[in-house]
Amino acid sequence: MSLSGVMSSPYQRKFFLFSSILIIIVSCFIVWILYWFTLDTRGWNLLISVLVSIVTSAIFSLGSALYLAFFFEDPFELASAQELLPQDVGQALRQIAENTADYKLFVRTGRHFRAEILPVLVNSAIKSRRPVQIEVVLLNFRNDALCEKYAAYRKSTSFDAKVWTKEYVQQEVLATILRLIDTVVTHSSLVKVDLYLSDRLSIFRIDGSSDELIVTREDPKDTASRYRRDDRAYSAFLTEFNWTRDDAIKVRPGSNGLSLPTTLEEILDGSSLLATVGAGAAKAKTAPSPYAR
């Protein structure tokens, strides 16, 4: 992150605030100890004066920072608004999910989405009594060569490289689909899902809504880019998402009027994958997110 982005991150601001408060408390405690347990000598007076100055300066600096933050807009924050630290990505994604009636996702397997973001979308829809429309583009699990290629890439670059095989990719895609099916069946009046299977491979993920998009990469240690609707780059990534979605295979709605079929068998349509990775997918659909977001 560039110098202009220093202290613009919520994570950095929280860390700085709590660190400053801790320093003030520790310094006050040391001053009290020196006053209470030591003789009034010149050396101790000098040390006490230094510590009192530190406390006074810290309180003034912290108060000034809070005053400026409340009454003024930080130009550094404006300059770095498009960049998110890894520690802030999860919070930003949850904020979008909490305040939107539509959600767009272009991802490979959707592990973090099904574990963290989908429940937020559902809870928000229930609390606000407002239906949510979700568009999800996942990797085409039927494309063995593509799944093998993606597994090879993750095996050579990922923090959890040891787990990645073609079967694991297919299992995780199906686990996300299972979670979506469960959600649609349970909340059919509030949650509508358009599901697409793409033969396009990318290292970028696009999450967001009609108001804001966040572009992340495969490594959870990487920074992310955030584009709000009034940003010129927003339309470019929205177009990227739309083109990917339009080129993908749309999973047909269920025969009972739901936006998705109610079983994997209907989606797999006779494929042998259910026998090979079905059990693993059923177990993985409730697994926690593998990312430390």
Side-chain angles (χ1 to χ4, degrees):
M1 174 167 287
S2 63
L3 183 60
S4 63
V6 174
M7 298 309 299
S8 64
S9 159
Y11 169 79
Q12 290 175 318
R13 289 197 293 266
K14 290 178 183 178
F15 179 79
F16 174 76
L17 176 63
F18 289 127
S19 298
S20 300
I21 293 174
L22 180 62
I23 291 173
I24 292 173
I25 293 174
V26 170
S27 299
C28 288
F29 182 73
I30 293 175
V31 169
W32 180 81
I33 290 292
L34 291 175
Y35 268 117
W36 187 264
F37 292 103
T38 61
L39 296 175
D40 190 17
T41 63
R42 182 177 301 176
W44 286 120
N45 284 339
L46 178 61
L47 179 58
I48 290 171
S49 297
V50 171
L51 290 172
V52 170
S53 299
I54 292 175
V55 172
T56 304
S57 300
I59 293 174
F60 175 79
S61 299
L62 189 59
S64 300
L66 293 174
Y67 174 83
L68 292 172
F70 184 80
F71 289 104
F72 297 93
E73 201 162 20
D74 184 3
F76 292 152
E77 185 171 0
L78 294 176
S80 61
Q82 290 184 351
E83 190 172 17
L84 291 171
L85 289 181
Q87 298 92 332
D88 298 324
V89 174
Q91 177 184 346
L93 290 174
R94 286 190 293 272
Q95 286 176 344
I96 294 177
E98 288 171 352
N99 299 285
T100 188
D102 64 275
Y103 198 86
K104 306 176 189 299
L105 174 71
F106 168 42
V107 73
R108 258 50 62 208
T109 62
R111 297 187 297 171
H112 183 74
F113 169 77
R114 72 170 182 258
E116 298 290 337
I117 305 305
L118 184 58
V120 175
L121 287 167
V122 173
N123 290 335
S124 177
I126 293 172
K127 289 180 180 179
S128 63
R129 299 179 183 177
R130 177 185 61 189
V132 60
Q133 178 69 46
I134 307 174
E135 293 181 288
V136 180
V137 183
L138 300 174
L139 200 66
N140 186 359
F141 58 84
R142 295 188 182 92
N143 191 328
D144 289 346
L146 193 67
C147 293
E148 188 71 60
K149 183 177 180 180
Y150 180 58
Y153 170 76
R154 292 301 298 263
K155 191 177 295 184
S156 63
T157 62
S158 180
F159 67 100
D160 54 352
K162 60 185 179 183
V163 305
W164 288 96
T165 62
K166 179 192 72 174
E167 290 74 19
Y168 181 75
V169 173
Q170 294 169 327
Q171 168 191 299
E172 292 302 308
V173 174
L174 291 178
T176 300
I177 294 175
L178 273 174
R179 191 68 182 270
L180 288 169
I181 290 174
D182 289 349
T183 301
V184 167
V185 171
T186 307
H187 306 283
S188 58
S189 63
L190 287 174
V191 181
K192 308 296 181 184
V193 176
D194 289 332
L195 177 60
Y196 302 85
L197 302 175
S198 176
D199 291 315
R200 182 176 180 180
L201 199 55
S202 173
I203 64 171
F204 295 102
R205 289 187 288 245
I206 299 176
D207 290 73
S209 67
S210 55
D211 295 317
E212 181 178 351
L213 293 175
I214 294 179
V215 181
T216 55
R217 287 179 283 187
E218 295 290 349
D219 193 337
K221 296 180 182 179
D222 286 338
T223 58
S225 299
R226 174 169 54 192
Y227 302 99
R228 295 187 172 91
R229 192 178 184 86
D230 57 357
D231 192 299
R232 291 195 304 174
Y234 172 89
S235 60
F237 285 100
L238 181 61
T239 300
E240 178 77 8
F241 174 84
N242 290 339
W243 282 357
T244 303
R245 177 200 62 196
D246 294 343
D247 287 340
I249 303 167
K250 184 177 182 179
V251 175
R252 63 183 182 271
S255 57
N256 52 0
L258 298 179
S259 56
L260 286 179
T262 56
T263 64
L264 271 183
E265 286 83 356
E266 293 181 68
I267 296 177
L268 291 172
D269 195 23
S271 171
S272 61
L273 279 176
L274 192 61
T276 56
V277 300
K283 182 179 180 180
K285 72 175 181 178
T286 57
S289 170
Y291 300 109
R293 295 206 187 280

